[in-house]
Amino acid sequence: MDNTDVFQEAAKVLRQGGVIAYPTEAVFGIGCNPTDEKALSRILNLKKRNPDKGLIIVAADFSQIVPFIDEKRLTDLSRELMNRFWPGPYTLVLPANPLLPKLLTGGRDSIAVRVSASTAVRKLCLAYGGAVVSTSCNLSGERSLDSYEEVVSCFADGLDYIVCGATDGRVGPSTIINGLTAEVLRGKIDNG
């Protein structure tokens, strides 16, 4: 995972409108440029995912999230949750920039975002220079893939690049929290 060339190559593919897979905290994610509607559509088709569900984006730091959220609508609680959970395996649903593609938000006025602590995610976002889509590498409703070998076996034909590496070993997908109310929408908060 120390080889920065793989992240530079992945970032190059993203800039060219490609769709990639890469390791995250617990599973491999499928990603693209969050504003590239053609790439977003490819991901939804590849996963056989309902476009109304929207997609998560991940970033290396808060500045990479800013273009995707409506900062004016953040509350003190939103900022408290960001300070508490980021970087980490917690996705916050925050008010979305109204100019985002519907395929990214699922047509909602909110977006799911995570500032990740995963080394691979952070290296990818830093190499790319911005946030990246991160949806689990699986067919919708099926088990998420957590190894490079599984991703190659199941999705090699539909992807433009696969980052070779391992996940951080976390069990289960990221916890999703409403960033305006602190309601846990998926998963649980680790108190350890």
Side-chain angles (χ1 to χ4, degrees):
M1 202 62 94
D2 291 334
N3 187 349
T4 56
D5 289 347
V6 297
F7 296 102
Q8 292 299 330
E9 184 61 30
K12 179 179 167 188
V13 171
L14 291 173
R15 285 187 208 99
Q16 295 170 342
V19 173
I20 68 168
Y22 57 94
T24 70
E25 294 90 347
V27 299
F28 266 71
I30 297 177
C32 69
N33 171 343
T35 60
D36 185 327
E37 294 194 52
K38 186 175 178 186
L40 292 169
S41 184
R42 275 186 61 201
I43 287 176
L44 295 170
N45 289 333
L46 184 65
K47 287 180 53 87
K48 298 178 176 35
R49 182 178 170 93
N50 181 335
D52 294 340
K53 288 187 172 185
L55 297 164
I56 292 172
I57 60 171
V58 292
D61 57 49
F62 179 74
S63 69
Q64 293 183 337
I65 294 292
V66 170
F68 300 94
I69 62 173
D70 184 347
E71 277 195 283
K72 296 184 303 291
R73 292 181 48 215
L74 294 180
T75 63
D76 289 343
L77 177 60
S78 303
R79 293 181 192 288
E80 182 182 317
L81 293 169
M82 288 185 271
N83 287 332
R84 178 177 174 194
F85 293 120
W86 289 349
Y90 295 93
T91 298
L92 298 179
V93 178
L94 297 172
N97 176 332
L99 302 177
L100 295 179
K102 282 187 173 185
L103 291 177
L104 182 62
T105 64
R108 294 178 189 79
D109 66 353
S110 59
I111 184 152
V113 295
R114 179 168 78 252
V115 174
S116 180
S118 162
T119 301
V121 171
R122 293 174 67 77
K123 284 185 176 184
L124 174 63
C125 292
L126 290 171
Y128 178 59
V132 175
V133 166
S134 185
T135 182
S136 57
C137 193
N138 64 329
L139 292 176
S140 190
E142 294 190 10
R143 182 182 72 79
S144 298
L145 306 181
D146 59 10
S147 76
Y148 173 80
E149 293 75 20
E150 286 180 315
V151 175
V152 170
S153 173
C154 297
F155 284 102
D157 292 342
L159 298 167
D160 300 309
Y161 190 78
I162 303 170
V163 174
C164 184
T167 68
D168 290 355
R170 181 180 166 84
V171 177
S174 70
T175 298
I176 300 179
I177 301 167
N178 182 318
L180 296 178
T181 67
E183 176 189 1
V184 176
L185 304 174
R186 177 182 81 187
K188 62 184 174 110
I189 296 173
D190 296 332
N191 292 320

